Structure formats: C-alpha cells, structure tokens
Amino acid sequence: MGIGRKRLIIPVCANADSRWGFLNALEREIPAGETVHVVLENVATHKTPEVMRWLERHPRWTFHFMPISSSWLNAIEDFFAKLAKRQL
C-alpha cells in the first residue's frame, strides 16, 4: 500500500453555499484518482440528504465525523482557526 500525498486544508465557510463552492473547487483541483478524506464535526448539517447525495456522486470522498461530546477537540479547533486566519 502506498502512502499518498496529504493535504491539510482548513475551510472558513460562513454558510452552506460557500461550503459547496469550497468542496466543488477542491473536487476540480485534486487530481482524479486520489482519494479524499475529510474530518468534520458530528453535526446534523453535515449529514443532510443533500450532503449524502453529493457523496454518492463523488465516491472518492469519505467524510469522517468526530465523536459527539469530544470537547477535548475544541483546543485543536481553536488552533486551526487561528492558523487559518493567519493564512488569510
């Protein structure tokens, strides 16, 4: 099994429209044949029928949901939010 290239991409999406635009832009940019794994908060908006249909149309994408009540991850989220703001 080979080790593929890893990317850390931190989206700053204010609403669903910007989220879809962001995911579709990544879909166009990431070379065909590469698998894509996305780590998300475990919230209902990430599991809507619209999201599930998008994933069905893009089988190389896999969403991984953080456990509910994983408050220890808040520190990590804060770190990445600060990092993202610096990059902008």
Side-chain angles (χ1 to χ4, degrees):
M1 175 191 294
I3 298 175
R5 185 171 55 202
K6 308 290 186 264
R7 301 170 193 236
L8 173 61
I9 301 169
I10 305 164
V12 180
C13 301
N15 56 45
D17 290 337
S18 63
R19 220 171 289 129
W20 289 118
F22 177 76
L23 287 175
N24 288 322
L26 285 178
E27 174 63 20
R28 288 187 301 272
E29 182 180 316
I30 297 172
E34 286 188 23
T35 58
V36 183
H37 295 269
V38 182
V39 178
L40 300 165
E41 292 175 317
N42 197 350
V43 295
T45 57
H46 294 148
K47 298 177 183 177
T48 63
E50 182 181 20
V51 171
M52 295 300 121
R53 284 191 299 273
W54 191 91
L55 287 171
E56 287 175 9
R57 290 191 312 269
H58 301 88
R60 68 186 184 134
W61 288 70
T62 302
F63 283 1
H64 303 278
F65 298 100
M66 295 185 299
I68 297 174
S69 301
S70 55
S71 60
W72 59 273
L73 290 171
N74 289 340
I76 296 169
E77 290 174 342
D78 289 342
F79 169 78
F80 283 121
K82 289 175 187 172
L83 183 63
K85 287 179 183 176
R86 284 189 207 163
Q87 296 298 318
L88 298 176

